[in-house]
Amino acid sequence: MTTVPVSMTDVRGLVDGALRAAVGRLDPRTYRVAAYHLGWTDEEGRPHKAPVGKALRPALALLSARAAVAPPESGLPGAVAVELTHAFSLLHDDIMDRDRTRRHRPAAWTVFGEASTILAGDALLALAGEVLLEAPGQGSARAARALSVATRRLIAGQSLDMDFETRRQISVDECVAMASGKTAALLACSCSIGAVLDGASDRLCEALQAFGEDLGIAFQLVDDLLGIWGDPETTGKPALSDLRSRKMSLPVVAALNSGTPEAAKLAALYARPGPAGKEPAEEELSEAAALVEAAGGRAWAEIEAESRIQRAAEHLVSARLPEPVRAEFLHIADFVTCRDH
């Protein structure tokens, strides 16, 4: 198992106070939803330590400040902003995907209702812009614009993902473009925003952005693999969850475009109406997983993820980073694309 990178174990201590201060600006009703989603409180608003995410995006933001030979603390506004934006996206995604659990407990919308959860997500996104624009130095406006562009791309990717729900003819290139927006855009911004805040050169910021783009695609590929073959104890979601919702994920789309007999069988299974008001039978889900694998979808996704990580590493070479910083970026990339956790 890949060990947790130091930059990810330390980030909570650096970011948590600033993140709580930012969220503390919200009105009480909105704060209650946000604090629950972030794992700080229970359903009644009482202090509670719930499972939280890996703090991947804040860690990358702080590390990108070090890439510009600045202290990691200078990237703190960027770290808070990308975490707020990520929280906004998850609050909305859970509603759109009808996901009832998030990190092993009820999703916020099932506790507080859809309207309150949407508003909480909107408020967190607004806070992200505030935090960046208040950052000291001349890089704040540039960073705010970079996050705004990333958010626009994220929304476009989510919109395309929703469009896929009503289509059965989707190319691999279309699916990669969706992942590039929905997942990679914010990761790429996270990888460069600390350097942007520090006023680093375009060459460095662009190299870090490119690293994050390829890392984001690899991250989505691994997430999609876990969505079919992941352990529920690890993922926090039911087994075969993406097949349960007939999601057009990257391995599924690759399988459907393989031109194999298994692809035709998988297409027919996906087009079959589900039982009214009932979950698909476990036998049908297992059959779908076997067909995706037999049609080459699993192998393609695994190989493509490895290729994206290699490309990401090449971008770091062109960035001419201090060796400890480059090694930490690579360690994070290895950690988040390892399927042992």
Side-chain angles (χ1 to χ4, degrees):
M1 179 182 291
T2 305
T3 58
V4 181
V6 173
S7 55
M8 290 178 66
T9 58
D10 293 346
V11 70
R12 286 292 176 195
L14 286 170
V15 175
D16 193 61
L19 183 62
R20 287 176 182 267
V23 177
R25 303 181 191 182
L26 299 177
D27 66 274
R29 287 175 59 86
T30 308
Y31 175 85
R32 184 176 171 187
V33 181
Y36 172 84
H37 174 71
L38 291 165
W40 301 341
T41 62
D42 65 10
E43 294 92 334
E44 302 300 324
R46 296 172 297 217
H48 178 72
K49 190 173 183 180
V52 294
K54 299 182 180 72
L56 168 61
R57 291 156 191 83
L60 290 168
L62 296 179
L63 190 57
S64 73
R66 290 177 55 200
V69 199
E73 292 80 4
S74 68
L76 188 57
V80 170
V82 294
E83 186 73 343
L84 290 170
T85 303
H86 181 52
F88 139 79
S89 71
L90 295 182
L91 284 166
H92 286 200
D93 281 359
D94 284 346
I95 295 171
M96 288 182 277
D97 296 341
R98 314 312 292 174
D99 285 338
R100 302 190 67 85
T101 60
R102 167 68 59 184
R103 297 176 187 139
H104 305 280
R105 66 175 185 163
W109 70 273
T110 69
V111 177
F112 302 100
E114 293 183 27
S116 293
T117 302
I118 290 169
L119 290 172
D122 293 344
L124 293 178
L125 182 59
L127 275 178
E130 283 184 44
V131 168
L132 285 178
L133 290 171
E134 291 169 357
Q138 296 182 347
S140 60
R142 184 181 168 202
R145 183 181 184 279
L147 183 61
S148 181
V149 170
T151 304
R152 177 161 48 82
R153 288 184 56 204
L154 184 159
I155 292 169
Q158 176 66 13
S159 177
L160 191 56
D161 192 26
M162 293 177 64
D163 181 52
F164 289 173
E165 294 178 5
T166 59
R167 293 170 53 190
R168 288 293 171 256
Q169 296 294 323
I170 299 165
S171 71
V172 173
D173 285 346
E174 283 182 301
C175 205
V176 170
M178 178 275 295
S180 178
K182 182 175 178 179
T183 303
L186 186 57
L187 269 178
C189 182
S190 302
C191 288
S192 61
I193 197 165
V196 171
L197 281 167
D198 196 58
S201 68
D202 288 345
R203 178 188 59 79
L204 175 59
C205 294
E206 288 168 4
L208 294 173
Q209 174 88 9
F211 166 82
E213 291 278 354
D214 280 314
L215 175 61
I217 298 296
F219 184 90
Q220 185 62 59
L221 284 159
V222 172
D223 193 60
D224 285 353
L225 287 164
L226 290 171
I228 300 175
W229 294 282
D231 181 355
E233 291 296 318
T234 300
T235 64
K237 295 184 178 182
L240 307 169
S241 61
D242 283 357
L243 299 179
R244 202 175 297 274
S245 60
R246 290 181 174 153
K247 183 177 179 180
M248 298 296 276
S249 64
L250 283 157
V252 169
V253 171
L256 288 171
N257 282 277
S258 66
T260 61
E262 292 82 5
K265 293 179 182 178
L266 180 64
L269 193 154
Y270 254 53
R272 188 185 307 164
K278 296 182 180 179
E279 290 279 331
E282 292 300 318
E283 296 81 4
E284 181 178 301
L285 297 174
S286 297
E287 179 188 2
L291 288 171
V292 174
E293 186 159 10
R298 183 175 190 171
W300 174 83
E302 291 172 346
I303 292 168
E304 183 67 13
E306 292 177 6
S307 174
R308 292 284 179 167
I309 290 298
Q310 291 174 0
R311 285 171 53 175
E314 291 168 5
H315 295 306
L316 294 183
V317 173
S318 67
R320 302 174 188 172
L321 304 180
E323 181 54 32
V325 175
R326 186 184 74 86
E328 193 67 11
F329 269 120
L330 293 177
H331 192 180
I332 290 177
D334 186 45
F335 177 76
V336 300
T337 56
C338 173
R339 293 194 300 277
D340 292 335
H341 53 267

